[in-house]
Amino acid sequence: MVLDRSGVGHGSLYHHFDGKEALALAAIEQMRADVMDKLGLETSEDRGGESDAADNELMDRDAVFDHYFTQTEGRALLHLLTDPGVSDSDALSRQVRAWCDELRSAIHVAVTGENAEGSADDSKLTRVHEVADPHLAAALGRGLLALPRTVDLLHPDDPR
């Protein structure tokens, strides 16, 4: 897929990447970079410390996540979470966990207005999971159920 879309030859592709894992890590990093913007979620720095009841609604959580998991990046995350090969790679597993942690943090900030990022306080981290996990788990479940049996990530408008 990557070779077809990039238009480069097999040898040229591996001139830029050390192997499949390095290519996958670069792709994950690129998709993670756009996640907050795609979801329309803010970090605490974006909020300027303001928190009101409208912000706490998480911009209709279900609609935001359902839309995200119909997009290429969201579908890719769903596939990575279900791919047994990912768990065989420590580097890929770390990247996928970090992606989910970013989603949790954004949900927590949107719901509570509190930023627990970088916190070593176990009670704050527990609170992040208590607040965010139900929303994230529900969204992931709906996303998995909505996936077509086979997904063509190169042509997302034409799933086969």
Side-chain angles (χ1 to χ4, degrees), residues 113-134:
E114 301 168 3
N115 185 1
E117 225 173 284
S119 176
D121 183 353
D122 286 340
S123 66
K124 284 186 180 179
L125 296 176
T126 298
R127 180 76 178 133
V128 168
H129 283 275
E130 287 173 354
V131 168
D133 283 353

Side-chain angles (χ1 to χ4, degrees), residues 27-90:
I28 291 169
E29 189 169 323
Q30 177 64 41
M31 288 184 281
R32 279 181 54 202
D34 295 332
V35 73
M36 297 311 183
D37 193 41
K38 284 255 188 191
L39 286 173
L41 298 175
E42 301 170 330
T43 64
S44 62
E45 292 81 25
D46 297 330
R47 298 168 66 98
E50 297 176 19
S51 178
D52 60 31
D55 285 346
N56 290 342
E57 291 302 316
L58 187 60
M59 295 159 277
D60 189 14
R61 296 169 195 93
D62 293 339
V64 169
F65 278 107
D66 290 348
H67 178 72
Y68 177 69
F69 287 118
T70 65
Q71 304 300 304
T72 301
E73 292 86 355
R75 285 182 178 180
L77 176 57
L78 292 169
H79 284 285
L80 289 166
L81 288 167
T82 60
D83 185 337
V86 171
S87 62
D88 292 340
S89 165
D90 289 338

Side-chain angles (χ1 to χ4, degrees), residues 13-34:
L13 180 69
Y14 287 111
H15 173 73
H16 300 283
F17 299 99
D18 291 334
K20 288 180 184 178
E21 183 176 87
L23 175 62
L25 289 170
I28 291 169
E29 189 169 323
Q30 177 64 41
M31 288 184 281
R32 279 181 54 202
D34 295 332

